[in-house]
Amino acid sequence: MHFVIMGCGRVGASLARSLERLGHDVAVVDQDPIAFRRLGSEFNGRRIAGVGFDRDTLEQAGITQAYAFAAVSSGDNSNILAARVARETFGVEHVVARIYDPDRAQVYQRLGIPTVATVRWTADQVLRRMLPQGQASEMTDASGRLVVAEIQISSAWVGRRLTAIEEATGARVAYITRLGEGVLPGPDTVHQEDDLVHLVIRKEYVHDVERILDGQPPQED
């Protein structure tokens, strides 16, 4: 798959190298060509010098073919603007923005753009939000049989209790992230728009769970 990353600082370079090691095609955008040195000589992806929220620059980076886009430059405004251009102009479904201000991060989370404040930010967190979940789990138990995975859920499930998700998939909800905060759900907790749901799943069933939650929920009695 093709991925576009805006910002070639420490996080952006680490993310680009990780994606390429996983066999993906990567394009990195940065205003400063010198920043591309962080990618190292073994990086084979595209290096695009330009402004990351400029449409022509993004098109050079292959944004129209991108599976996901990450804005991880050093500026909040640039990151959120680039993320919105990627999503609203080019229709990229999987978009992540690095935000330094935790309060602003919550605002943009409500707009449907996954964000993490810089004090909690790692390249691994970006990677989990860009890749299909089967390729990047949050945790695996010692036996390798169980994973904790953040699963993308269709908006058709909004308003349903999390227990309905468990019943439909056979998985267990470990916790949810709501407006940037971790929440332990109760039996009556309802799935809200923009919730990030973290499920405990048997490894061999991850793709089945993804397929179920990407579709319509069963009819309620």
Side-chain angles (χ1 to χ4, degrees), residues 25-199:
D25 181 55
V26 185
V28 183
V29 177
D30 199 289
Q31 294 186 68
D32 182 6
I34 296 176
F36 296 132
R37 294 177 182 176
R38 295 188 179 93
L39 295 168
S41 58
E42 296 183 358
F43 179 74
N44 295 313
R46 279 181 269 179
R47 300 165 172 85
I48 311 295
V51 178
F53 49 81
D54 177 76
R55 296 182 186 184
D56 291 338
T57 300
L58 289 173
E59 286 179 349
Q60 288 181 49
I63 193 69
T64 56
Q65 292 84 42
Y67 174 83
F69 174 81
V72 293
S73 76
S74 59
D76 281 9
N77 291 335
S78 297
N79 287 343
I80 202 62
L81 181 56
R84 294 190 67 177
V85 170
R87 170 165 286 181
E88 296 169 12
T89 302
F90 293 102
V92 180
E93 183 177 354
H94 304 282
V95 173
V96 192
R98 180 186 192 181
I99 302 296
Y100 282 77
D101 182 341
D103 294 330
R104 296 177 72 186
Q106 292 187 18
V107 171
Y108 292 120
Q109 190 86 18
R110 294 189 190 104
L111 295 176
I113 296 176
T115 59
V116 180
T118 188
V119 293
R120 296 161 50 191
W121 191 265
T122 68
D124 285 344
Q125 287 174 307
V126 188
L127 194 63
R128 285 199 295 268
R129 286 162 172 78
M130 295 179 78
L131 285 171
Q133 191 56 57
Q135 297 188 40
S137 59
E138 298 175 21
M139 189 194 78
T140 304
D141 81 310
S143 71
R145 296 179 64 190
L146 299 176
V147 299
V148 177
E150 180 189 304
I151 300 293
Q152 299 290 326
I153 299 180
S154 166
S155 60
W157 290 83
V158 170
R160 294 293 186 95
R161 291 183 181 180
L162 295 180
T163 52
I165 290 175
E166 294 181 332
E167 291 169 3
T169 63
R172 293 292 177 266
V173 178
Y175 66 100
I176 61 174
T177 303
R178 180 170 290 171
L179 301 179
E181 298 294 330
V183 177
L184 289 174
D188 295 322
T189 302
V190 171
H191 179 49
Q192 296 183 10
E193 189 173 0
D194 299 328
D195 278 354
L196 304 177
V197 180
H198 310 262
L199 296 168

